[in-house]
Amino acid sequence: MAKPKPLVTKSSSPDTADSAVASALRTLDAEGSGVAAIAAALQGPLGPAFTAAFNLIHGAKGRVIVTGLGKSGHVARKIAATFASTGTPAFFVHSAEASHGDLGMITADDVIVALSWSGEQPEMKNLITYAKRFRIALIAMTAEAGSTLSKAADVALTLPRAREACPHNLAPTTSSLMLLALGDALAIALLEGRGFTSVDFSVLHPGGKLGALLKYARDLMHTGEAIPIKPLGTRMSDALVEMSSKGFGCVGIVDPHGHIVGIVTDGDLRRHMRPDLMTVPVDDVMTQNPKTISRDLLASEALEILNSSKITALIVTDARKPVGIVHLHDLLRAGVA
């Protein structure tokens, strides 16, 4: 029985690799030009329409219904997700499915944002008719000011014409990115208009990396007996026992009123190493006025302080009194770092 021939993998020639990079650069240049054209249009005729769309959504009692078909449908689904995650209640309705019962998802208090580059998708006709019948506000995002969708809309966001990145000027590439960019711009304008804060954001993003970054020091800190604390005047031998038993590599030093006034770290031990180190008071070794944080500080900000200060733990205080301690390892376990 003949042995099978080994597979031969041909590596790309330098010319082929260079051609691929050149193609990628042409694509990015074309798509970048499309986004730049939107920015220019917003400073001209698109600006008033954008403001009108903002006001319509901002004042709506209901939700934003984002709809589209094909590539525009995929973009619409993402825009709806961005609206919802930034404080504007929204969901996606497929333009074709709308005619088969999904129109029942849309109420008179809602605002419809319909995406169609040509503005002439026949599947959207019933949705337009429904919006007119029940006086539901309709915002169009299209490149054709004279299209059926644009004429039917209460507000028409007419995007500037742009060449697709596809060399045949056919595959939706630049146009899809432009629709997405304008949708993102509208979502962020609404976020800022509503004063949507990082606290609000954390409520809607409790999971994953974002959820971890939006936790607070109070969610991760160790409290009570776990906090390594000793008063002024403590001998270094006792402070070292406290430091070792609590496992944070440091011990906070408090004055008679319980206010944090210093900290002894592994680094302080190395800097003050001498034969009688264990017998001297912590007052002679501690770093005064240590960095502390409040319990309401975001975990992401705590991580920034740790990294910029090149330290591994932060004591959490309330009215200058220690109430907790956060270690770099706590942030790692929570997925912040």
Side-chain angles (χ1 to χ4, degrees):
M1 182 176 177
K3 293 183 178 180
K5 294 182 179 180
L7 293 174
V8 178
T9 303
K10 294 183 179 180
S11 60
S12 300
S13 66
D15 289 343
T16 302
D18 290 344
S19 296
V21 171
S23 174
L25 291 172
R26 286 194 298 272
T27 297
L28 294 173
D29 183 62
E31 295 188 343
S33 296
V35 175
I38 296 176
L42 280 168
Q43 299 175 60
L46 184 57
F50 186 88
T51 300
F54 169 91
N55 289 333
L56 201 56
I57 296 174
H58 192 272
K61 296 179 181 178
R63 303 144 305 173
V64 179
I65 314 300
V66 193
T67 186
L69 191 73
K71 300 299 185 294
S72 294
H74 293 304
V75 173
R77 191 182 296 274
K78 191 275 176 186
I79 291 174
T82 301
F83 275 137
S85 70
T86 53
T88 300
F91 63 87
F92 170 75
V93 171
H94 193 282
S95 299
E97 293 295 332
S99 300
H100 297 277
D102 284 359
L103 285 173
M105 298 179 178
I106 308 171
T107 74
D109 290 330
D110 297 335
V111 176
I112 298 172
V113 177
L115 279 65
S116 172
W117 190 252
S118 68
E120 295 295 348
Q121 289 174 330
E123 295 88 351
M124 205 171 279
K125 180 181 178 181
N126 289 333
L127 193 147
I128 294 173
T129 302
Y130 184 83
K132 289 299 179 184
R133 179 182 177 185
F134 293 99
R135 297 182 179 178
I136 301 169
L138 175 62
I139 298 170
M141 288 178 60
T142 176
E144 297 293 344
S147 66
T148 301
L149 176 61
S150 187
K151 289 179 178 179
D154 297 286
V155 177
L157 297 174
T158 307
L159 288 92
R161 299 293 300 181
R163 183 178 176 81
E164 302 288 7
C166 165
H168 311 298
N169 197 29
L170 294 174
T173 45
T174 306
S175 58
S176 296
L177 182 63
M178 290 172 71
L179 287 168
L180 179 60
L182 188 58
D184 283 346
L186 189 53
I188 299 306
L190 288 161
L191 176 153
E192 294 178 349
R194 288 192 168 93
F196 192 78
T197 67
S198 60
V199 175
D200 301 317
F201 201 82
S202 67
V203 173
L204 300 180
H205 297 78
K209 181 73 172 179
L210 281 176
L213 289 171
L214 292 167
K215 287 183 182 296
Y216 293 91
R218 62 174 179 265
D219 300 322
L220 303 175
M221 70 184 188
H222 302 266
T223 61
E225 293 297 321
I227 310 171
I229 291 293
K230 283 293 180 180
L232 285 169
T234 300
R235 293 199 339 163
M236 277 301 300
S237 58
D238 294 331
L240 185 58
V241 170
E242 179 77 355
M243 185 188 302
S244 301
S245 63
K246 300 297 172 66
F248 292 103
C250 65
V251 56
I253 309 302
V254 294
D255 65 15
H257 302 289
H259 297 151
I260 189 80
V261 292
I263 191 169
V264 177
T265 66
D266 294 333
D268 292 315
L269 294 178
R270 289 191 296 272
R271 283 188 291 273
H272 293 84
M273 188 61 67
R274 62 193 197 200
D276 63 340
L277 177 61
M278 292 298 102
T279 62
V280 301
V282 292
D283 313 44
D284 297 343
V285 178
M286 70 181 190
T287 298
Q288 296 184 24
N289 302 315
K291 291 184 181 297
T292 61
I293 58 174
S294 76
R295 67 177 82 207
D296 296 323
L297 188 75
L298 283 171
S300 57
E301 295 177 293
L303 177 62
E304 186 178 342
I305 293 172
L306 288 172
N307 287 334
S308 62
S309 303
K310 297 181 179 179
I311 55 179
T312 59
L314 286 165
I315 292 177
V316 183
T317 61
D318 183 6
R320 294 175 55 205
K321 293 184 177 181
V323 293
I325 184 168
V326 174
H327 194 276
L328 177 62
H329 292 166
D330 300 318
L331 302 177
L332 289 169
R333 281 190 292 269
V336 178

